[in-house]
Each structure stands twice: as C-alpha cells, then as structure tokens.
Amino acid sequence: METVKKLAVFASGTGSNFEAIADACADGRLDAGVVLMVCDKPGAPVIGKAEARGIPCFVFSPKEYPSKAAFETEIVSLLDAAGVDLVCLAGYMRIVGDVLLKAYEGRIINIHPSLLPAFKGAHAVEQAVAYGVKVYGISIHWVNSDLDGGRIIAQRAFEYDGNDPAEVHRIGQKIEHALYVETIAKLLK
Ligand code: GAR
C-alpha cells in the first residue's frame, strides 16, 4: 500500500501558496495531504482558505506566549501528533527558532521571493526593485538557523525591466505556485 505523505503548511497572510499546495494534494498532483495549517496571525486570509478545505488549523498569537520556545513547543507537539513528514513554510513571516529546528530540521523548507543568496529577509522584492535588478526569481531552500541561508533546493528566474514591485510580485507568485508543488513532489519521491 502506498503511503500518503503528510504536510504541514505555515503561513502568515494571504495563503496563495498554501492554496496551491492544498489543491495539488486534493487533485492528486501531490501524493500527499495537508494535515495541518499553522498561522501566527489571527484574522489572516489563509485561515478561511484552510477552513473551507476542512484542513485543521493552529492559529496563535505569539504575544500571548512567554517566548518563541513556548509556542514552538506547542507547534512541535501538534506536528508530532499529526505525523507530519514535511513542513512547508509559505509566507510564514517569522524566524524559525531552536525548538522547531531541533525537532524538524531536515524536514522544513521555505519559499522566498528572490534568487538567494541575494535579498534575504523581509521585503525581498522591494529591495530588488530598489536595486534595479533585471533578473528576478524564486528560491526554495532548506530551513536552518541562518535566515534564508539553508541549502537551495530549487530556483526559477524571470526577467523584468521595470520598477513596479506589485508587478514583480504578480509574476513571481505564479512561478511560486508551480515551483513549490513541483519541488514538494520531487522531495516526496
Ligand atoms: C510569498 O510570495 C513568499 O515568497 C513570501 O511571502 C509570500 C506569501 O504569499 N515569503 C517571504 O517573503 C519569506 N521571506 P502567500 O501568502 O500568498 O502564499
């Protein structure tokens, strides 16, 4: 019997990458299921998208916990209980801490809207536009304690000669959705 792999997706905002992954699981492009969506922003649009698909959610407010270790301990126990094989960060705008890394390092990947190692951290697209970049891109990498510095798994570039960050986001997100699903499929093989 084939084992369907279990994914957790972490997101903080819109959740278009979450949707792409969940839809690919639902229609069989990924031999996997999203068993948990973790969100650190109560009220974020991604929550409704998970609920509409019947995917269990853990929504938390970091400031209600004494420390990052405290909320990550709770997250790890949920991941363990759900038997998660792979954690996919998809617009989770928070640095992963020691507790989560100790338990899941080697099983956590992230998508980032630049050709790493250029433009790490938040506002990567805005930084790249301000620089006058002509070749943009998307990276998927393993997560370690070095922010956006883990080993790269996949990248895809595109050319854009303009100065509109919104347009770069629009082009980049289409690429993200396809690249994330393709990369997860490869990793699960
Ligand atoms: C994505 O474009 C992702 O690359 C970016 O957040 C967006 C989330 O969009 N992540 C980062 O900037 C991480 N540093 P989504 O909520 O629609 O998936």
Side-chain angles (χ1 to χ4, degrees), residues 31 37 57 63 103-104 114 136 157 160 179:
D31 192 17
M37 196 283 290
C57 300
K63 60 180 186 294
Y104 278 86
S114 77
Y136 291 80
Y160 173 73
L179 188 63

Side-chain angles (χ1 to χ4, degrees), residues 11-18 46 90-93 110-113 121-124 138 148 169 173 176-177:
S12 302
T14 308
S16 68
N17 281 284
F18 162 79
V46 66
Y92 180 67
M93 303 308 273
N110 179 46
I111 192 159
H112 184 76
H123 313 297
I138 303 299
D148 294 328
H169 275 292
Q173 282 226 312
E176 288 190 346
H177 302 157

